[in-house]
Structure formats: structure tokens, C-alpha cells
């Protein structure tokens, strides 16, 4: 019975969320609010920036205050069809207390909008009840390894509770928190999507193990993403379409796979991937608050 309710809730959310349903990905809009600059882990493929020049996760033109974000939502929802408000950086949503403050205010003023966040998952188990209480319906957790040995190759620094962890110790700490978060959030009725970045030669043969593990913890859907070569993986070749297709087919034996991700900026808004309907703040006059 509980599983039936979960599937009903998942179906309801995916009817309106462009990042959970490929059929509506190019028909309804979302707003990413750049309110979260700090991050408590350092991924080997991530370089966070305030920039107008790059079109990828981890970048934004500015960092908004909560009040600026609310005004941005008012303006945007008056001009285009928006179904989702999310926080996806440019750092980690939960390493910035403004995120939950924003969600509370959005829920009060815009009760029909789906609230969504992306996180590395380090703090998501600690905040699971608060996430559910402010009305967040979907959480995306990026999990790139369920083997700490592989995780140690991907993550350089894990900062938790005032201490910085490295290597296998850090990767194990992160993984433990991530899997607890998937389980806790799913039990609270939040739809959990897991993002996994394919890094050739590091975790490309490990993605299906991630799928098996997170499905057992309650994840509902998975997104398999190609590496954007940056930072210490800047010289690693981006995985090709054939390689991604093979991995996604393997994952689909365990979880549905979302295949239309645009790997958006942290300040993107509009309809994902649609020309003249998908924007970021640097494209909008007077957008620097």
C-alpha cells in the first residue's frame, strides 16, 4: 500500500516536472535560483564560478538574496509557463541555509509550484525532515560511486561537522550520508532522483552498481550524465553517445532513466533546451541584482 502511494506521488510530480519526464521536458518551464554559493565537498570534475561565459552546472551570473529570488520568480512566472522552482547551486543547496528559507517563502506565495533541489547528499539526511516540511517534492542527489575506493578517486575534500576528510575515509563518509538521505527522503514521500556522472576509466563500469544500490534505498529514477572535462579530469575524454547509451540500458534494468538532461546552469530558467525559451540570467537585461 505504501509503495502504491509512492508511485502515485511519483506520477503526480512527473506530470509537471521537466527534469523527471522526457515527454514534457520541452513543454513546461523551471527556474533555477542561484542562492547557494558554498559547497562542502570538492569533486574532481567541478569548478564553481560566477561567470557569464560558460553553460554548465556550477556556474551562475550572480548570487541572489532570498528577496531578489522571490522577485525573480514573480517576474518569470508572469511571463512564461513555470511549474518548478529549484536550487541547484552554484554550490550545494544544503550547505547554504538560505535555500530552505527560500523554499518556505515560495511555498507561501506560490503554492502550486513544485519545489526541487539538487544536492551532493552530504547533509540531506540531517535535513530530511526539514526538506519535507517546507514542501520540497523532489530531490536530486549526485552519487558517483557506491564503492569508497572509486569515490576516493573522484572526491578530493569532504567537509562535515567542522572537519575535512580525504581519500577513502572521506568517500565512505559521503556515501553513508548519501544512502541514508535517499532512504530517509523516500520514506518521507519525497521523490528522489540520483544523478551519476560517467567518468571514463574511473566509474564508467560502476554506474549499474549505483543503480542497484540506490533502488534498494528507495530512489525512483536515475540520470546518467557525461563528464564535462574540468579540474583534475580536464584531460579525460568525454564519454560518447554509444557508451552512455549502453550504460543507460544497463541502468534501466533497475530504475527508469531520464535521458533529456540539458546540464543547465545554476541560474537557468524557462523551458529546458528550447531555443528562445531557455534562458539564464546573463541573457536578461538588468539581471545583475
Amino acid at each position: 500500500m505504501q509503495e502504491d502511494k509512492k508511485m502515485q506521488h511519483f506520477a503526480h510530480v512527473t506530470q509537471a516536472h521537466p527534469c523527471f519526464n522526457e515527454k514534457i521536458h520541452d513543454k513546461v518551464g523551471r527556474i533555477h535560483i542561484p542562492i547557494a554559493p558554498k559547497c562542502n565537498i570538492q569533486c574532481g570534475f567541478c569548478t564553481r564560478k560566477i561567470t557569464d561565459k560558460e553553460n554548465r552546472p556550477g556556474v551562475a551570473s550572480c548570487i541572489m538574496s532570498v528577496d531578489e529570488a522571490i522577485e525573480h520568480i514573480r517576474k518569470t512566472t508572469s511571463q512564461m509557463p513555470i511549474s518548478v522552482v529549484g536550487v541547484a547551486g552554484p554550490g550545494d543547496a544544503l550547505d547554504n541555509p538560505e535555500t530552505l528559507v527560500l523554499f518556505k517563502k515560495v511555498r507561501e506565495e506560490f503554492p502550486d509550484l513544485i519545489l526541487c533541489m539538487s544536492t551532493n547528499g552530504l547533509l540531506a539526511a540531517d535535513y530530511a525532515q526539514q526538506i519535507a516540511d517546507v514542501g520540497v517534492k523532489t530531490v536530486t542527489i549526485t552519487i558517483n560511486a557506491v564503492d569508497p575506493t572509486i569515490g576516493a578517486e573522484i572526491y578530493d575534500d569532504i567537509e562535515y561537522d567542522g572537519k575535512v576528510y580525504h581519500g577513502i575515509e572521506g568517500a565512505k563518509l559521503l556515501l553513508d550520508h548519501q544512502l541514508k538521505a535517499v532512504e530517509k527522503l523516500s520514506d518521507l514521500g519525497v521523490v528522489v532522483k540520483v544523478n551519476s556522472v560517467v567518468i571514463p576509466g574511473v566509474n564508467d563500469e560502476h554506474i549499474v552498481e549505483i543503480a542497484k544500490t540506490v533502488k534498494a534505498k528507495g530512489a525512483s529514477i536515475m540520470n546518467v550524465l557525461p563528464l564535462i572535462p574540468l579540474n583534475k579530469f580536464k584531460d579525460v575524454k568525454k564519454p560518447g553517445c554509444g557508451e552512455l547509451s549502453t550504460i543507460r540500458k544497463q541502468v534501466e534494468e533497475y530504475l527508469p532513466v531520464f535521458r533529456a538532461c540539458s546540464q543547465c546552469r545554476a541560474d537557468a530558467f524557462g523551458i529546458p533546451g528550447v531555443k528562445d525559451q531557455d534562458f539564464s540570467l546573463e541573457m536578461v537585461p538588468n539581471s545583475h541584482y
Side-chain angles (χ1 to χ4, degrees):
M1 187 62 133
Q2 185 176 0
E3 186 65 22
D4 289 343
K5 287 183 178 179
K6 180 181 175 183
M7 291 307 296
Q8 289 171 6
H9 178 59
F10 176 69
H12 171 72
V13 168
T14 57
Q15 284 175 4
H17 198 314
C19 302
F20 281 68
N21 185 343
E22 293 167 26
K23 292 181 180 179
I24 63 166
H25 185 256
D26 60 352
K27 296 178 177 62
V28 297
R30 60 22 181 152
I31 306 176
H32 288 174
I33 302 297
I35 201 171
K38 295 187 297 180
C39 191
N40 44 18
I41 74 173
Q42 179 58 59
C43 300
F45 54 77
C46 180
T47 302
R48 297 181 297 278
K49 287 185 180 179
I50 303 300
T51 179
D52 294 344
K53 308 301 181 186
E54 299 178 51
N55 188 20
R56 61 172 176 84
V59 301
S61 295
C62 64
I63 302 300
M64 288 181 168
S65 69
V66 171
D67 289 342
E68 289 165 351
I70 292 294
E71 183 58 30
H72 177 47
I73 296 167
R74 288 180 186 135
K75 289 179 181 178
T76 305
T77 54
S78 71
Q79 295 170 358
M80 61 185 71
I82 297 293
S83 63
V84 178
V85 171
V87 174
D92 184 74
L94 291 171
D95 198 30
N96 296 266
E98 295 82 2
T99 296
L100 293 179
V101 174
L102 171 67
F103 283 142
K104 185 174 184 297
K105 291 196 172 189
V106 174
R107 186 185 187 188
E108 291 168 355
E109 185 169 342
F110 307 93
D112 294 333
L113 292 178
I114 295 171
L115 303 183
C116 175
M117 74 162 67
S118 295
T119 174
N120 58 46
L122 182 61
L123 297 177
D126 297 346
Y127 285 98
Q129 189 64 58
Q130 292 181 54
I131 291 167
D133 288 346
V134 299
V136 173
K137 300 298 184 187
T138 65
V139 173
T140 296
I141 300 177
T142 300
I143 301 177
N144 298 311
V146 291
D147 178 341
T149 305
I150 296 174
E153 296 184 56
I154 299 171
Y155 305 108
D156 295 328
D157 304 304
I158 312 292
E159 184 177 353
Y160 181 75
D161 199 22
K163 183 178 177 182
V164 179
Y165 299 83
H166 305 282
I168 292 176
E169 182 185 24
K172 185 178 186 308
L173 174 74
L174 175 62
L175 176 62
D176 288 347
H177 282 250
Q178 289 173 328
L179 296 182
K180 286 177 185 174
V182 174
E183 189 168 28
K184 278 189 173 185
L185 288 166
S186 297
D187 287 346
L188 288 166
V190 177
V191 176
V192 177
K193 178 176 72 174
V194 169
N195 278 4
S196 294
V197 177
V198 178
I199 309 170
V202 179
N203 70 347
D204 49 328
E205 297 181 1
H206 179 64
I207 304 297
V208 70
E209 293 302 320
I210 300 174
K212 293 178 187 178
T213 302
V214 300
K215 175 181 172 61
K217 295 295 182 180
S220 295
I221 188 170
M222 199 158 164
N223 185 13
V224 178
L225 300 165
L227 171 75
I228 299 174
L230 289 167
N231 200 354
K232 75 177 185 182
F233 294 119
K234 67 182 185 300
D235 296 323
V236 175
K237 187 177 179 181
K238 184 176 181 177
C241 294
E243 182 179 356
L244 287 173
S245 179
T246 297
I247 293 171
R248 286 166 175 163
K249 285 179 182 177
Q250 293 171 346
V251 168
E252 279 180 324
E253 295 181 20
Y254 301 93
L255 282 171
V257 174
F258 182 74
R259 295 170 180 262
C261 180
S262 302
Q263 292 184 281
C264 302
R265 289 168 57 102
D267 60 0
F269 63 97
I271 300 177
V274 178
K275 186 177 180 181
D276 298 327
Q277 296 185 62
D278 193 8
F279 308 97
S280 52
L281 288 174
E282 93 282 0
M283 299 170 62
V284 182
N286 304 314
S287 65
H288 291 265
Y289 290 85

